[in-house]
Amino acid sequence: MEIEAWLWWLIAAVGLGIPLVVTAMPELGMFSVGALAASITAAVGGGMVAQYLVFSIVSVALVAVVRPIAARQRSERAQHPSGIDALKGRQAVVLERVDGSGGRVKLAGEVWSARALDDHQSFEVGQHVDVVDIDGATAVVM
């Protein structure tokens, strides 16, 4: 019993897809899609030359188009601060008097412990303050 060409291409597609999941290398997924396209070409009666051309064209096209888009997405994501970095520079409202030794503020909808950046400065309830840093679970304000 001879295995048909489309089945070999399908096996190659799965074989390239498994390392994609394990290693998270997107290029392997692009080659897997190329092998799947070659499998379809073989199933509809395309010759070996057509199968290899389809595999090559689809794989190279995906690498040429998808990789730059993915790289751009990664670089754009890095520009947006998240977590603690996203809180720096925001305004907070004083809930309990804040001075060099402590206090409480409402920051991004949550109650945070806070302290003044300058030990000799204090802020009263209701004042708006700027968050200059996050020290552990304490917002440093001025």
Side-chain angles (χ1 to χ4, degrees):
M1 176 171 126
E2 186 176 319
I3 297 178
E4 295 187 34
W6 68 269
L7 189 55
W8 282 115
W9 282 112
L10 194 59
I11 292 168
V14 171
L16 289 165
I18 291 171
L20 163 69
V21 174
V22 175
T23 65
M25 290 181 59
E27 292 82 3
L28 292 174
M30 295 172 208
F31 290 131
S32 179
V33 172
L36 185 62
S39 175
I40 293 169
T41 302
V44 297
M48 286 304 289
V49 173
Q51 294 169 34
Y52 283 111
L53 278 174
V54 167
F55 171 74
S56 300
I57 290 169
V58 170
S59 298
V60 169
L62 284 172
V63 169
V65 172
V66 175
R67 281 189 75 198
I69 293 170
R72 187 171 45 247
Q73 290 292 329
R74 274 195 303 268
S75 68
E76 287 176 6
R77 193 176 312 132
Q79 293 174 356
H80 299 294
S82 62
I84 292 173
D85 292 330
L87 298 174
K88 295 177 185 175
R90 294 193 58 182
Q91 278 201 338
V93 178
V94 176
L95 298 177
E96 293 177 12
R97 184 174 190 270
V98 175
D99 56 24
S101 61
R104 296 229 182 268
V105 296
K106 187 165 194 168
L107 170 62
E110 298 178 348
V111 177
W112 281 72
S113 60
R115 67 175 167 80
L117 178 64
D118 180 5
D119 288 337
H120 303 295
Q121 195 172 22
S122 65
F123 303 97
E124 299 303 323
V125 174
Q127 275 187 286
H128 290 270
V129 292
D130 293 319
V131 177
V132 294
D133 197 13
I134 302 292
D135 182 17
T138 302
V140 181
V141 300
M142 61 180 280

PDB file of all heavy atoms in Angstrom, residues 95-129:
ATOM      1  N   LEU A  95      -7.254  60.257  50.699  1.00  0.00           N
ATOM      2  CA  LEU A  95      -8.368  59.784  51.514  1.00  0.00           C
ATOM      3  C   LEU A  95      -8.079  59.982  53.003  1.00  0.00           C
ATOM      4  O   LEU A  95      -8.998  60.245  53.777  1.00  0.00           O
ATOM      5  CB  LEU A  95      -8.636  58.300  51.241  1.00  0.00           C
ATOM      6  CG  LEU A  95      -9.045  57.931  49.813  1.00  0.00           C
ATOM      7  CD1 LEU A  95      -9.193  56.421  49.692  1.00  0.00           C
ATOM      8  CD2 LEU A  95     -10.326  58.638  49.418  1.00  0.00           C
ATOM      9  N   GLU A  96      -6.835  59.800  53.410  1.00  0.00           N
ATOM     10  CA  GLU A  96      -6.370  60.057  54.772  1.00  0.00           C
ATOM     11  C   GLU A  96      -5.115  60.905  54.639  1.00  0.00           C
ATOM     12  O   GLU A  96      -4.314  60.682  53.735  1.00  0.00           O
ATOM     13  CB  GLU A  96      -6.024  58.751  55.508  1.00  0.00           C
ATOM     14  CG  GLU A  96      -7.197  57.859  55.803  1.00  0.00           C
ATOM     15  CD  GLU A  96      -6.755  56.547  56.463  1.00  0.00           C
ATOM     16  OE1 GLU A  96      -5.586  56.436  56.896  1.00  0.00           O
ATOM     17  OE2 GLU A  96      -7.584  55.634  56.526  1.00  0.00           O
ATOM     18  N   ARG A  97      -4.924  61.823  55.524  1.00  0.00           N
ATOM     19  CA  ARG A  97      -3.776  62.739  55.468  1.00  0.00           C
ATOM     20  C   ARG A  97      -2.490  61.972  55.109  1.00  0.00           C
ATOM     21  O   ARG A  97      -2.191  60.937  55.692  1.00  0.00           O
ATOM     22  CB  ARG A  97      -3.596  63.435  56.816  1.00  0.00           C
ATOM     23  CG  ARG A  97      -2.520  64.463  56.827  1.00  0.00           C
ATOM     24  CD  ARG A  97      -2.539  65.199  58.168  1.00  0.00           C
ATOM     25  NE  ARG A  97      -1.668  66.340  58.128  1.00  0.00           N
ATOM     26  CZ  ARG A  97      -0.374  66.309  58.454  1.00  0.00           C
ATOM     27  NH1 ARG A  97       0.179  65.183  58.862  1.00  0.00           N
ATOM     28  NH2 ARG A  97       0.363  67.398  58.378  1.00  0.00           N
ATOM     29  N   VAL A  98      -1.768  62.503  54.123  1.00  0.00           N
ATOM     30  CA  VAL A  98      -0.525  61.881  53.667  1.00  0.00           C
ATOM     31  C   VAL A  98       0.641  62.780  54.037  1.00  0.00           C
ATOM     32  O   VAL A  98       0.638  63.975  53.757  1.00  0.00           O
ATOM     33  CB  VAL A  98      -0.537  61.664  52.136  1.00  0.00           C
ATOM     34  CG1 VAL A  98       0.806  61.118  51.656  1.00  0.00           C
ATOM     35  CG2 VAL A  98      -1.665  60.731  51.723  1.00  0.00           C
ATOM     36  N   ASP A  99       1.632  62.191  54.685  1.00  0.00           N
ATOM     37  CA  ASP A  99       2.877  62.914  54.993  1.00  0.00           C
ATOM     38  C   ASP A  99       4.042  61.944  54.790  1.00  0.00           C
ATOM     39  O   ASP A  99       3.874  60.892  54.182  1.00  0.00           O
ATOM     40  CB  ASP A  99       2.841  63.503  56.410  1.00  0.00           C
ATOM     41  CG  ASP A  99       2.568  62.458  57.475  1.00  0.00           C
ATOM     42  OD1 ASP A  99       2.837  61.269  57.236  1.00  0.00           O
ATOM     43  OD2 ASP A  99       2.081  62.828  58.564  1.00  0.00           O
ATOM     44  N   GLY A 100       5.185  62.295  55.297  1.00  0.00           N
ATOM     45  CA  GLY A 100       6.371  61.475  55.119  1.00  0.00           C
ATOM     46  C   GLY A 100       6.284  60.107  55.755  1.00  0.00           C
ATOM     47  O   GLY A 100       7.012  59.183  55.379  1.00  0.00           O
ATOM     48  N   SER A 101       5.375  59.934  56.710  1.00  0.00           N
ATOM     49  CA  SER A 101       5.280  58.638  57.382  1.00  0.00           C
ATOM     50  C   SER A 101       4.118  57.782  56.897  1.00  0.00           C
ATOM     51  O   SER A 101       4.043  56.598  57.235  1.00  0.00           O
ATOM     52  CB  SER A 101       5.171  58.834  58.901  1.00  0.00           C
ATOM     53  OG  SER A 101       3.998  59.571  59.198  1.00  0.00           O
ATOM     54  N   GLY A 102       3.210  58.338  56.108  1.00  0.00           N
ATOM     55  CA  GLY A 102       2.136  57.504  55.577  1.00  0.00           C
ATOM     56  C   GLY A 102       0.853  58.241  55.298  1.00  0.00           C
ATOM     57  O   GLY A 102       0.772  59.459  55.391  1.00  0.00           O
ATOM     58  N   GLY A 103      -0.166  57.468  54.942  1.00  0.00           N
ATOM     59  CA  GLY A 103      -1.485  57.987  54.613  1.00  0.00           C
ATOM     60  C   GLY A 103      -2.143  57.067  53.598  1.00  0.00           C
ATOM     61  O   GLY A 103      -1.624  55.987  53.291  1.00  0.00           O
ATOM     62  N   ARG A 104      -3.288  57.500  53.069  1.00  0.00           N
ATOM     63  CA  ARG A 104      -4.013  56.686  52.083  1.00  0.00           C
ATOM     64  C   ARG A 104      -4.500  57.581  50.955  1.00  0.00           C
ATOM     65  O   ARG A 104      -4.922  58.708  51.177  1.00  0.00           O
ATOM     66  CB  ARG A 104      -5.214  56.005  52.720  1.00  0.00           C
ATOM     67  CG  ARG A 104      -4.844  55.002  53.788  1.00  0.00           C
ATOM     68  CD  ARG A 104      -5.574  53.690  53.536  1.00  0.00           C
ATOM     69  NE  ARG A 104      -5.277  52.720  54.563  1.00  0.00           N
ATOM     70  CZ  ARG A 104      -4.304  51.836  54.479  1.00  0.00           C
ATOM     71  NH1 ARG A 104      -3.540  51.797  53.432  1.00  0.00           N
ATOM     72  NH2 ARG A 104      -4.093  50.975  55.454  1.00  0.00           N
ATOM     73  N   VAL A 105      -4.443  56.998  49.725  1.00  0.00           N
ATOM     74  CA  VAL A 105      -4.952  57.698  48.547  1.00  0.00           C
ATOM     75  C   VAL A 105      -5.796  56.736  47.730  1.00  0.00           C
ATOM     76  O   VAL A 105      -5.680  55.513  47.863  1.00  0.00           O
ATOM     77  CB  VAL A 105      -3.802  58.248  47.659  1.00  0.00           C
ATOM     78  CG1 VAL A 105      -2.999  59.308  48.383  1.00  0.00           C
ATOM     79  CG2 VAL A 105      -2.914  57.133  47.136  1.00  0.00           C
ATOM     80  N   LYS A 106      -6.654  57.325  46.885  1.00  0.00           N
ATOM     81  CA  LYS A 106      -7.403  56.522  45.921  1.00  0.00           C
ATOM     82  C   LYS A 106      -6.712  56.713  44.579  1.00  0.00           C
ATOM     83  O   LYS A 106      -6.640  57.808  44.053  1.00  0.00           O
ATOM     84  CB  LYS A 106      -8.860  56.947  45.846  1.00  0.00           C
ATOM     85  CG  LYS A 106      -9.687  56.031  44.982  1.00  0.00           C
ATOM     86  CD  LYS A 106     -11.162  56.246  45.194  1.00  0.00           C
ATOM     87  CE  LYS A 106     -11.923  55.091  44.580  1.00  0.00           C
ATOM     88  NZ  LYS A 106     -13.306  55.100  44.999  1.00  0.00           N
ATOM     89  N   LEU A 107      -6.170  55.598  44.055  1.00  0.00           N
ATOM     90  CA  LEU A 107      -5.390  55.617  42.821  1.00  0.00           C
ATOM     91  C   LEU A 107      -5.938  54.555  41.886  1.00  0.00           C
ATOM     92  O   LEU A 107      -6.015  53.378  42.253  1.00  0.00           O
ATOM     93  CB  LEU A 107      -3.907  55.336  43.150  1.00  0.00           C
ATOM     94  CG  LEU A 107      -2.957  55.093  42.001  1.00  0.00           C
ATOM     95  CD1 LEU A 107      -2.871  56.330  41.104  1.00  0.00           C
ATOM     96  CD2 LEU A 107      -1.565  54.751  42.533  1.00  0.00           C
ATOM     97  N   ALA A 108      -6.341  54.961  40.693  1.00  0.00           N
ATOM     98  CA  ALA A 108      -6.878  54.041  39.681  1.00  0.00           C
ATOM     99  C   ALA A 108      -8.030  53.206  40.231  1.00  0.00           C
ATOM    100  O   ALA A 108      -8.132  52.015  39.975  1.00  0.00           O
ATOM    101  CB  ALA A 108      -5.767  53.148  39.131  1.00  0.00           C
ATOM    102  N   GLY A 109      -8.884  53.831  41.048  1.00  0.00           N
ATOM    103  CA  GLY A 109     -10.055  53.148  41.580  1.00  0.00           C
ATOM    104  C   GLY A 109      -9.789  52.263  42.779  1.00  0.00           C
ATOM    105  O   GLY A 109     -10.691  51.602  43.260  1.00  0.00           O
ATOM    106  N   GLU A 110      -8.546  52.240  43.276  1.00  0.00           N
ATOM    107  CA  GLU A 110      -8.200  51.399  44.417  1.00  0.00           C
ATOM    108  C   GLU A 110      -7.597  52.249  45.518  1.00  0.00           C
ATOM    109  O   GLU A 110      -7.000  53.289  45.264  1.00  0.00           O
ATOM    110  CB  GLU A 110      -7.178  50.327  44.004  1.00  0.00           C
ATOM    111  CG  GLU A 110      -7.698  49.371  42.961  1.00  0.00           C
ATOM    112  CD  GLU A 110      -6.644  48.349  42.541  1.00  0.00           C
ATOM    113  OE1 GLU A 110      -5.455  48.541  42.889  1.00  0.00           O
ATOM    114  OE2 GLU A 110      -7.005  47.383  41.877  1.00  0.00           O
ATOM    115  N   VAL A 111      -7.741  51.777  46.741  1.00  0.00           N
ATOM    116  CA  VAL A 111      -7.154  52.471  47.884  1.00  0.00           C
ATOM    117  C   VAL A 111      -5.724  51.963  48.067  1.00  0.00           C
ATOM    118  O   VAL A 111      -5.489  50.760  48.154  1.00  0.00           O
ATOM    119  CB  VAL A 111      -7.981  52.237  49.166  1.00  0.00           C
ATOM    120  CG1 VAL A 111      -7.320  52.906  50.362  1.00  0.00           C
ATOM    121  CG2 VAL A 111      -9.406  52.752  48.968  1.00  0.00           C
ATOM    122  N   TRP A 112      -4.791  52.908  48.112  1.00  0.00           N
ATOM    123  CA  TRP A 112      -3.372  52.591  48.261  1.00  0.00           C
ATOM    124  C   TRP A 112      -2.821  53.270  49.502  1.00  0.00           C
ATOM    125  O   TRP A 112      -3.237  54.372  49.851  1.00  0.00           O
ATOM    126  CB  TRP A 112      -2.580  53.137  47.065  1.00  0.00           C
ATOM    127  CG  TRP A 112      -2.657  52.319  45.832  1.00  0.00           C
ATOM    128  CD1 TRP A 112      -3.729  52.178  45.003  1.00  0.00           C
ATOM    129  CD2 TRP A 112      -1.613  51.534  45.280  1.00  0.00           C
ATOM    130  NE1 TRP A 112      -3.427  51.344  43.970  1.00  0.00           N
ATOM    131  CE2 TRP A 112      -2.117  50.939  44.104  1.00  0.00           C
ATOM    132  CE3 TRP A 112      -0.304  51.265  45.641  1.00  0.00           C
ATOM    133  CZ2 TRP A 112      -1.366  50.102  43.298  1.00  0.00           C
ATOM    134  CZ3 TRP A 112       0.451  50.436  44.835  1.00  0.00           C
ATOM    135  CH2 TRP A 112      -0.082  49.866  43.681  1.00  0.00           C
ATOM    136  N   SER A 113      -1.868  52.616  50.154  1.00  0.00           N
ATOM    137  CA  SER A 113      -1.112  53.330  51.177  1.00  0.00           C
ATOM    138  C   SER A 113      -0.200  54.290  50.426  1.00  0.00           C
ATOM    139  O   SER A 113       0.193  54.028  49.291  1.00  0.00           O
ATOM    140  CB  SER A 113      -0.304  52.356  52.045  1.00  0.00           C
ATOM    141  OG  SER A 113       0.611  51.637  51.260  1.00  0.00           O
ATOM    142  N   ALA A 114       0.101  55.412  51.064  1.00  0.00           N
ATOM    143  CA  ALA A 114       0.897  56.434  50.377  1.00  0.00           C
ATOM    144  C   ALA A 114       1.786  57.152  51.376  1.00  0.00           C
ATOM    145  O   ALA A 114       1.538  57.136  52.591  1.00  0.00           O
ATOM    146  CB  ALA A 114      -0.024  57.436  49.686  1.00  0.00           C
ATOM    147  N   ARG A 115       2.822  57.770  50.835  1.00  0.00           N
ATOM    148  CA  ARG A 115       3.664  58.654  51.631  1.00  0.00           C
ATOM    149  C   ARG A 115       4.151  59.767  50.731  1.00  0.00           C
ATOM    150  O   ARG A 115       4.236  59.613  49.515  1.00  0.00           O
ATOM    151  CB  ARG A 115       4.826  57.907  52.275  1.00  0.00           C
ATOM    152  CG  ARG A 115       5.851  57.364  51.349  1.00  0.00           C
ATOM    153  CD  ARG A 115       7.022  56.740  52.120  1.00  0.00           C
ATOM    154  NE  ARG A 115       7.860  55.953  51.256  1.00  0.00           N
ATOM    155  CZ  ARG A 115       8.789  56.459  50.436  1.00  0.00           C
ATOM    156  NH1 ARG A 115       8.989  57.756  50.399  1.00  0.00           N
ATOM    157  NH2 ARG A 115       9.507  55.653  49.666  1.00  0.00           N
ATOM    158  N   ALA A 116       4.459  60.900  51.361  1.00  0.00           N
ATOM    159  CA  ALA A 116       4.922  62.051  50.607  1.00  0.00           C
ATOM    160  C   ALA A 116       6.372  61.848  50.187  1.00  0.00           C
ATOM    161  O   ALA A 116       7.180  61.274  50.927  1.00  0.00           O
ATOM    162  CB  ALA A 116       4.788  63.319  51.444  1.00  0.00           C
ATOM    163  N   LEU A 117       6.706  62.354  49.008  1.00  0.00           N
ATOM    164  CA  LEU A 117       8.076  62.275  48.519  1.00  0.00           C
ATOM    165  C   LEU A 117       9.003  63.073  49.425  1.00  0.00           C
ATOM    166  O   LEU A 117      10.080  62.619  49.783  1.00  0.00           O
ATOM    167  CB  LEU A 117       8.147  62.797  47.075  1.00  0.00           C
ATOM    168  CG  LEU A 117       9.517  62.836  46.417  1.00  0.00           C
ATOM    169  CD1 LEU A 117      10.076  61.427  46.275  1.00  0.00           C
ATOM    170  CD2 LEU A 117       9.432  63.507  45.052  1.00  0.00           C
ATOM    171  N   ASP A 118       8.531  64.242  49.820  1.00  0.00           N
ATOM    172  CA  ASP A 118       9.290  65.105  50.739  1.00  0.00           C
ATOM    173  C   ASP A 118       8.753  64.861  52.152  1.00  0.00           C
ATOM    174  O   ASP A 118       7.569  65.045  52.420  1.00  0.00           O
ATOM    175  CB  ASP A 118       9.107  66.568  50.330  1.00  0.00           C
ATOM    176  CG  ASP A 118       9.851  67.536  51.217  1.00  0.00           C
ATOM    177  OD1 ASP A 118      10.600  67.096  52.114  1.00  0.00           O
ATOM    178  OD2 ASP A 118       9.694  68.750  51.014  1.00  0.00           O
ATOM    179  N   ASP A 119       9.631  64.452  53.077  1.00  0.00           N
ATOM    180  CA  ASP A 119       9.205  64.146  54.444  1.00  0.00           C
ATOM    181  C   ASP A 119       8.550  65.324  55.151  1.00  0.00           C
ATOM    182  O   ASP A 119       7.761  65.142  56.078  1.00  0.00           O
ATOM    183  CB  ASP A 119      10.404  63.659  55.276  1.00  0.00           C
ATOM    184  CG  ASP A 119      10.851  62.265  54.862  1.00  0.00           C
ATOM    185  OD1 ASP A 119      10.019  61.533  54.290  1.00  0.00           O
ATOM    186  OD2 ASP A 119      12.019  61.919  55.102  1.00  0.00           O
ATOM    187  N   HIS A 120       8.838  66.541  54.746  1.00  0.00           N
ATOM    188  CA  HIS A 120       8.318  67.741  55.420  1.00  0.00           C
ATOM    189  C   HIS A 120       7.023  68.235  54.785  1.00  0.00           C
ATOM    190  O   HIS A 120       6.454  69.220  55.244  1.00  0.00           O
ATOM    191  CB  HIS A 120       9.371  68.851  55.397  1.00  0.00           C
ATOM    192  CG  HIS A 120      10.669  68.425  56.019  1.00  0.00           C
ATOM    193  ND1 HIS A 120      10.788  68.107  57.358  1.00  0.00           N
ATOM    194  CD2 HIS A 120      11.896  68.233  55.478  1.00  0.00           C
ATOM    195  CE1 HIS A 120      12.031  67.756  57.617  1.00  0.00           C
ATOM    196  NE2 HIS A 120      12.727  67.814  56.490  1.00  0.00           N
ATOM    197  N   GLN A 121       6.547  67.558  53.760  1.00  0.00           N
ATOM    198  CA  GLN A 121       5.330  67.978  53.072  1.00  0.00           C
ATOM    199  C   GLN A 121       4.172  67.091  53.499  1.00  0.00           C
ATOM    200  O   GLN A 121       4.353  65.898  53.793  1.00  0.00           O
ATOM    201  CB  GLN A 121       5.553  67.860  51.561  1.00  0.00           C
ATOM    202  CG  GLN A 121       4.532  68.581  50.724  1.00  0.00           C
ATOM    203  CD  GLN A 121       4.936  68.575  49.244  1.00  0.00           C
ATOM    204  OE1 GLN A 121       5.715  67.735  48.810  1.00  0.00           O
ATOM    205  NE2 GLN A 121       4.381  69.508  48.505  1.00  0.00           N
ATOM    206  N   SER A 122       2.966  67.667  53.535  1.00  0.00           N
ATOM    207  CA  SER A 122       1.783  66.873  53.857  1.00  0.00           C
ATOM    208  C   SER A 122       0.628  67.294  52.957  1.00  0.00           C
ATOM    209  O   SER A 122       0.590  68.413  52.460  1.00  0.00           O
ATOM    210  CB  SER A 122       1.405  67.024  55.330  1.00  0.00           C
ATOM    211  OG  SER A 122       1.026  68.354  55.596  1.00  0.00           O
ATOM    212  N   PHE A 123      -0.301  66.370  52.765  1.00  0.00           N
ATOM    213  CA  PHE A 123      -1.459  66.609  51.910  1.00  0.00           C
ATOM    214  C   PHE A 123      -2.703  66.230  52.685  1.00  0.00           C
ATOM    215  O   PHE A 123      -2.749  65.201  53.355  1.00  0.00           O
ATOM    216  CB  PHE A 123      -1.363  65.763  50.634  1.00  0.00           C
ATOM    217  CG  PHE A 123      -0.092  66.002  49.845  1.00  0.00           C
ATOM    218  CD1 PHE A 123       0.991  65.152  49.983  1.00  0.00           C
ATOM    219  CD2 PHE A 123       0.014  67.089  48.997  1.00  0.00           C
ATOM    220  CE1 PHE A 123       2.151  65.357  49.274  1.00  0.00           C
ATOM    221  CE2 PHE A 123       1.180  67.314  48.281  1.00  0.00           C
ATOM    222  CZ  PHE A 123       2.258  66.449  48.421  1.00  0.00           C
ATOM    223  N   GLU A 124      -3.714  67.053  52.576  1.00  0.00           N
ATOM    224  CA  GLU A 124      -4.947  66.853  53.337  1.00  0.00           C
ATOM    225  C   GLU A 124      -5.996  66.120  52.506  1.00  0.00           C
ATOM    226  O   GLU A 124      -5.901  66.041  51.282  1.00  0.00           O
ATOM    227  CB  GLU A 124      -5.497  68.203  53.814  1.00  0.00           C
ATOM    228  CG  GLU A 124      -4.552  68.958  54.734  1.00  0.00           C
ATOM    229  CD  GLU A 124      -4.142  68.189  55.989  1.00  0.00           C
ATOM    230  OE1 GLU A 124      -4.998  67.456  56.548  1.00  0.00           O
ATOM    231  OE2 GLU A 124      -2.971  68.294  56.389  1.00  0.00           O
ATOM    232  N   VAL A 125      -7.010  65.595  53.193  1.00  0.00           N
ATOM    233  CA  VAL A 125      -8.095  64.833  52.569  1.00  0.00           C
ATOM    234  C   VAL A 125      -8.732  65.665  51.451  1.00  0.00           C
ATOM    235  O   VAL A 125      -9.023  66.842  51.617  1.00  0.00           O
ATOM    236  CB  VAL A 125      -9.155  64.445  53.625  1.00  0.00           C
ATOM    237  CG1 VAL A 125     -10.355  63.778  52.965  1.00  0.00           C
ATOM    238  CG2 VAL A 125      -8.530  63.535  54.673  1.00  0.00           C
ATOM    239  N   GLY A 126      -8.909  65.021  50.308  1.00  0.00           N
ATOM    240  CA  GLY A 126      -9.555  65.660  49.161  1.00  0.00           C
ATOM    241  C   GLY A 126      -8.580  66.276  48.166  1.00  0.00           C
ATOM    242  O   GLY A 126      -8.977  66.579  47.037  1.00  0.00           O
ATOM    243  N   GLN A 127      -7.338  66.484  48.560  1.00  0.00           N
ATOM    244  CA  GLN A 127      -6.363  67.065  47.641  1.00  0.00           C
ATOM    245  C   GLN A 127      -6.000  66.061  46.555  1.00  0.00           C
ATOM    246  O   GLN A 127      -5.996  64.850  46.785  1.00  0.00           O
ATOM    247  CB  GLN A 127      -5.073  67.463  48.374  1.00  0.00           C
ATOM    248  CG  GLN A 127      -5.118  68.823  49.014  1.00  0.00           C
ATOM    249  CD  GLN A 127      -3.729  69.179  49.557  1.00  0.00           C
ATOM    250  OE1 GLN A 127      -3.312  68.627  50.569  1.00  0.00           O
ATOM    251  NE2 GLN A 127      -3.046  70.079  48.866  1.00  0.00           N
ATOM    252  N   HIS A 128      -5.664  66.597  45.387  1.00  0.00           N
ATOM    253  CA  HIS A 128      -5.154  65.762  44.295  1.00  0.00           C
ATOM    254  C   HIS A 128      -3.633  65.789  44.350  1.00  0.00           C
ATOM    255  O   HIS A 128      -3.034  66.846  44.516  1.00  0.00           O
ATOM    256  CB  HIS A 128      -5.641  66.280  42.931  1.00  0.00           C
ATOM    257  CG  HIS A 128      -7.104  66.071  42.728  1.00  0.00           C
ATOM    258  ND1 HIS A 128      -7.615  64.933  42.168  1.00  0.00           N
ATOM    259  CD2 HIS A 128      -8.174  66.854  43.034  1.00  0.00           C
ATOM    260  CE1 HIS A 128      -8.927  65.015  42.123  1.00  0.00           C
ATOM    261  NE2 HIS A 128      -9.299  66.174  42.640  1.00  0.00           N
ATOM    262  N   VAL A 129      -3.030  64.614  44.233  1.00  0.00           N
ATOM    263  CA  VAL A 129      -1.577  64.491  44.270  1.00  0.00           C
ATOM    264  C   VAL A 129      -1.118  63.707  43.046  1.00  0.00           C
ATOM    265  O   VAL A 129      -1.889  62.970  42.444  1.00  0.00           O
ATOM    266  CB  VAL A 129      -1.104  63.790  45.567  1.00  0.00           C
ATOM    267  CG1 VAL A 129      -1.361  64.654  46.779  1.00  0.00           C
ATOM    268  CG2 VAL A 129      -1.763  62.429  45.730  1.00  0.00           C
TER     269      VAL A 129
END
